[in-house]
């Protein structure tokens, strides 16, 4: 495949917040993930120093917290103050110690060097609750909540810039689900109160790829919003063991990713909001999280407390299956590259994305007693966040090979090679995927001023499409070539994620 590009034809500026992450009070993301005072890797605040180091290594720009479904019945007041009284988490049906709350989250973000992004409770919560939370975080000293923050040991405001109203309140699975009209009104009234506390915050609201939902939300509250939030998970599992094969995953990297972005662009343009409101894809992962029987309505005779066998073996126990590192292969890496490439091609609209989640569950990092495992997805962020430049260029493609097949009975065709060209200080960086499970592809780069240039190639790969990393097993990683004279042709190994530097 040949691509032709010029620094004079740009698509837009890539926002670094495309390489963001999400952290939820679910399973081992917080407790045993980022926060583990008993761990030998714990720092003075009880945070896993090895996890912080890994997040700094991929230049994490922003982290969204505390949920996710968890947030829709979360009282943020339970997570601040000297005394933390445990609460029952109605979203995930476990006890929450509240040892990790707002102050701990902000402190963790400062250590990582990333922006905190708080998603508020629009399930059981009110406009009052959401705006009180902004008072607690961002007012200097006026009123009860700023004074509480000071008394809790944070004399300076936390200065949380990014806030979201609600999480998936469009869905029946969510506590406090709303219909489109209710949602527009609640977002409008919540946004008014939150902005009266701090007019400088950036506000998002839960959205979905649905015309009625967005028309109602944007007509009622569009004037107060800077973002709309989209979520995407493409490969769930009926049993926490069975997943799409590599090739099927690749067939999901075309319209299944770009469609929702294209339609969001249409909604915003139709309402004259393009350029004002951007898309925050603030939960995305190839794989949906595995947590069966959360609402075990078909088992009403089961006792609902921790001694119950059904609860223990069919509700809580299966969540450990998310921890199987063999699930996360080059399919996850190449899919993640394809998702980010789609966002980069739409960088004028998609300005934030949060990988869901960053630690444990389906995350890029897996923690265990003796250290961490870096799953294949981790290295995609390491390459993209460290090497891609700020300007995304348009490019003209010729001879693009394609892959076709059926996914859930639907015919899908996708480009086998997926390349995005960026340029900036020092030259160019091209993110190039070869989705083919077996064949090498060649990428011809026609750079209009390619006199006397050099190229260096970073390749993320493993010995097979199903290669993975685990404790004591490192199959997937990055190899880097030396700088070499630019010849225009770049080999792309099968099932690989590559970043090609040109200087
Ligand atoms: O499976 C985890 C859930 O996925 C998150 O809590 C929610 O936001 C999304 O539906």
């Amino acid at each position: 495949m040949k691509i032709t590009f010029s620094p004079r034809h740009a698509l837009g500026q890539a926002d670094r917040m495309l390489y963001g992450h999400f952290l939820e009070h679910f399973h081992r993301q917080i407790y045993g993930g980022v926060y583990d005072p008993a761990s030998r890797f714990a720092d003075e605040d009880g945070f896993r120093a090895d996890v912080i180091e890994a997040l700094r290594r991929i230049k994490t720009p922003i982290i969204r917290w505390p949920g996710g479904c968890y947030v829709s019945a979360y009282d943020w007041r339970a997570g601040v103050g000297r005394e933390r009284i445990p609460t029952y988490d109605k979203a995930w049906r476990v006890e929450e110690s509240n040892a990790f709350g707002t102050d701990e989250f902000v402190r963790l973000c400062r250590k990582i060097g990333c922006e905190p992004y708080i998603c508020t409770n629009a399930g059981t919560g009110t406009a009052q609750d959401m705006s009180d939370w902004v008072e607690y975080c961002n007012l200097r000293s006026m009123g009860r909540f700023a004074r509480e923050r000071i008394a809790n040991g944070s004399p300076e405001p936390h200065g949380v810039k990014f806030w979201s109203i609600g999480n998936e309140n469009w869905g029946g699975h969510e506590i406090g689900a709303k219909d489109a009209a209710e949602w527009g009104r609640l977002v409008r009234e919540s946004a008014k109160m939150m902005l009266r506390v701090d007019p400088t915050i950036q506000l998002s609201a839960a959205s979905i790829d649905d015309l009625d939902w967005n028309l109602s939300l944007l007509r009622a509250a569009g004037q107060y919003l800077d973002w709309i939030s989209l979520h995407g998970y493409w490969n769930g599992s009926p049993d926490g063991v069975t997943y799409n094969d590599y090739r099927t995953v690749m067939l999901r990297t075309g319209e299944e990713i770009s469609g929702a972005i294209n339609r969001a662009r249409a909604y915003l343009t139709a309402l004259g909001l393009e350029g004002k409101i951007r898309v925050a894809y603030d939960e995305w992962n190839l794989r949906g999280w595995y947590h069966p029987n959360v609402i075990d309505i078909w088992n009403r005779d089961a006792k609902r407390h921790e001694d119950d066998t059904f609860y223990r073996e069919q509700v809580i126990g299966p969540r450990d299956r998310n921890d199987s590192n063999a699930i996360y292969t080059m399919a996850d890496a190449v899919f993640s590259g394809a998702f980010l490439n789609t966002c980069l091609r739409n960088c004028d609209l998609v300005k934030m994305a949060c990988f869901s989640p960053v630690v444990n569950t389906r995350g890029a990092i897996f923690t265990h007693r003796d250290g961490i495992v870096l799953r294949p997805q981790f290295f995609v962020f390491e390459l993209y966040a460290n090497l891609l430049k700020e300007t995304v260029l348009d490019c003209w493609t010729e001879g693009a090979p394609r892959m076709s097949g059926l996914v859930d009975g639907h015919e899908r065709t996708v480009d086998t090679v997926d390349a995005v060209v960026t340029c900036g200080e020092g030259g160019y960086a091209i993110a190039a995927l070869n989705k083919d499970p077996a064949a090498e592809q060649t990428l011809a780069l026609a750079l209009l001023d390619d006199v006397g240039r050099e190229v260096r190639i970073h390749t993320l790969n493993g010995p097979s499409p199903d290669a993975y990393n685990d404790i004591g097993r490192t199959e997937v990683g990055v190899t880097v070539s030396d700088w070499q004279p630019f010849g225009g042709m770049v080999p792309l190994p099968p099932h690989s994620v590559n970043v090609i530097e040109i200087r």
Side-chain angles (χ1 to χ4, degrees):
M1 179 172 103
K2 177 180 178 183
I3 56 173
T4 304
F5 52 93
S6 157
R8 290 180 291 282
H9 296 278
L11 285 178
Q13 298 305 301
D15 197 303
R16 296 197 44 71
M17 289 199 295
L18 284 178
Y19 311 126
H21 296 277
F22 171 52
L23 204 52
E24 177 163 2
H25 287 246
F26 174 79
H27 202 227
R28 297 193 319 113
Q29 293 177 35
I30 303 289
Y31 307 108
V34 295
Y35 182 72
D36 193 351
S39 166
R40 61 187 172 91
F41 299 98
D43 68 10
E44 66 282 4
D45 291 303
F47 302 140
R48 283 271 307 232
D50 51 348
V51 171
I52 290 174
E53 191 279 329
L55 292 174
R56 293 178 64 85
R57 181 172 152 187
I58 56 175
K59 291 193 171 66
T60 301
I62 190 167
I63 294 181
R64 174 175 179 257
W65 170 85
C69 293
Y70 173 76
V71 77
S72 289
Y74 176 59
D75 175 3
W76 65 267
R77 297 170 186 83
V80 296
R82 307 284 183 209
E83 185 188 9
R84 307 291 174 86
I85 300 169
T87 46
Y88 179 70
D89 166 7
K90 294 182 176 69
W92 298 120
R93 303 181 58 193
V94 294
E95 182 173 83
E96 165 60 50
S97 70
N98 289 305
F100 188 98
T102 302
D103 297 336
E104 289 75 25
F105 171 60
V106 171
R107 194 173 307 129
L108 173 67
C109 288
R110 299 308 179 218
K111 286 192 169 183
I112 294 165
C114 70
E115 290 291 344
Y117 172 21
I118 292 180
C119 179
T120 61
N121 172 1
T124 62
T126 64
Q128 181 82 53
D129 299 328
M130 297 182 223
S131 55
D132 290 352
W133 204 353
V134 181
E135 287 189 40
Y136 182 86
C137 290
N138 290 4
L139 284 187
R140 175 160 302 285
S141 59
M142 284 195 283
R144 168 189 165 189
F145 298 107
R147 292 166 186 266
E148 270 188 40
R149 184 200 68 248
I150 294 166
N152 290 339
S154 300
E156 293 304 314
H158 287 326
V160 177
K161 296 176 192 161
F162 298 93
W163 295 79
S164 172
I165 298 172
N167 174 78
E168 300 189 0
N169 300 86
W170 39 261
H173 63 285
E174 195 80 13
I175 291 171
K178 307 284 188 298
D179 66 31
E182 280 176 296
W183 186 241
R185 287 193 296 275
L186 176 60
V187 171
R188 181 185 63 223
E189 295 313 308
S190 305
K192 280 161 55 177
M193 287 187 77
M194 294 166 84
L195 291 168
R196 285 167 187 237
V197 175
D198 183 349
T200 69
I201 61 174
Q202 292 202 25
L203 266 183
S204 183
S207 179
I208 185 175
D209 180 10
D210 176 88
L211 179 59
D212 294 331
W213 185 268
N214 282 292
L215 289 180
S216 176
L217 168 63
L218 294 170
R219 281 173 170 149
Q223 61 182 308
Y224 300 109
L225 297 177
D226 305 285
W227 307 83
I228 53 173
S229 291
L230 293 178
H231 292 174
Y233 298 95
W234 284 264
N235 184 196
S237 169
D239 55 9
V241 175
T242 311
Y243 296 92
N244 291 149
D245 62 277
Y246 171 89
R247 196 174 190 286
T248 303
V249 168
M250 292 304 107
L251 293 174
R252 313 196 77 155
T253 58
E255 202 284 332
E256 284 197 41
I257 296 175
S258 59
I261 295 171
N262 297 338
R263 286 183 289 273
R265 184 187 295 277
Y267 308 145
L268 291 167
T269 305
L271 293 171
L273 292 168
E274 78 282 3
K276 174 190 181 298
I277 293 181
R278 289 136 313 157
V279 167
Y281 229 115
D282 56 24
E283 282 185 33
W284 71 272
N285 194 314
L286 164 64
R287 304 187 193 279
W289 302 1
Y290 183 65
H291 38 61
N293 305 310
V294 171
I295 310 174
D296 53 329
I297 48 178
W298 49 87
N299 193 322
R300 309 293 293 272
D301 60 351
K303 295 191 295 301
R304 279 174 169 64
H305 52 65
E306 54 276 22
D307 299 341
D308 174 51
T309 304
F310 180 87
Y311 173 82
R312 204 172 49 248
E313 294 177 2
Q314 301 302 322
V315 178
I316 301 304
R319 296 177 186 180
D320 291 343
R321 294 182 206 165
N322 291 287
D323 280 349
S324 168
N325 290 310
I327 296 168
Y328 311 102
T329 69
M330 285 308 301
D332 295 79
V334 179
F335 181 94
S336 296
F339 176 86
L340 291 173
N341 282 6
T342 306
C343 293
L344 287 164
R345 279 189 284 269
N346 291 275
C347 61
D348 63 317
L349 176 65
V350 186
K351 293 282 185 188
M352 184 197 304
C354 299
F355 188 66
S356 168
V358 64
V359 181
N360 295 328
T361 310
R362 302 289 192 205
I365 302 166
F366 172 78
T367 64
H368 58 96
R369 185 172 56 89
D370 298 323
I372 58 176
V373 173
L374 301 178
R375 291 167 169 169
Q377 310 89 308
F378 176 88
F379 301 98
V380 176
F381 288 100
E382 184 170 51
L383 291 178
Y384 279 50
N386 283 297
L387 297 174
L388 295 188
K389 310 280 186 189
E390 57 278 2
T391 301
V392 180
L393 298 183
D394 199 357
C395 63
W396 173 28
T397 302
E398 297 168 84
R402 296 169 74 77
M403 301 167 65
S404 297
L406 285 177
V407 179
D408 299 337
H410 300 288
E411 181 65 27
R412 295 269 193 261
T413 298
V414 298
D415 287 335
T416 305
V417 176
D418 177 338
V420 168
V421 181
T422 67
C423 75
E425 182 67 30
Y428 300 85
I430 300 158
L433 315 175
N434 176 5
K435 303 173 190 173
D436 193 303
E440 177 176 290
Q441 299 286 337
T442 299
L443 183 61
L445 303 175
L447 170 56
L448 299 184
D449 61 347
D450 63 354
V451 176
R453 291 186 171 275
E454 290 186 306
V455 63
R456 180 167 66 176
I457 305 168
H458 305 250
T459 297
L460 165 57
N461 213 344
S464 84
D466 301 324
Y468 66 93
N469 291 340
D470 205 342
I471 300 171
R473 173 195 178 120
T474 303
E475 279 193 334
V476 174
V478 176
T479 54
V480 190
S481 73
D482 295 328
W483 284 104
Q484 50 203 304
F486 178 70
M489 307 295 277
V490 176
L492 301 179
H495 51 76
S496 68
V497 178
N498 309 269
V499 171
I500 302 150
E501 291 183 283
I502 301 175
R503 67 179 179 186

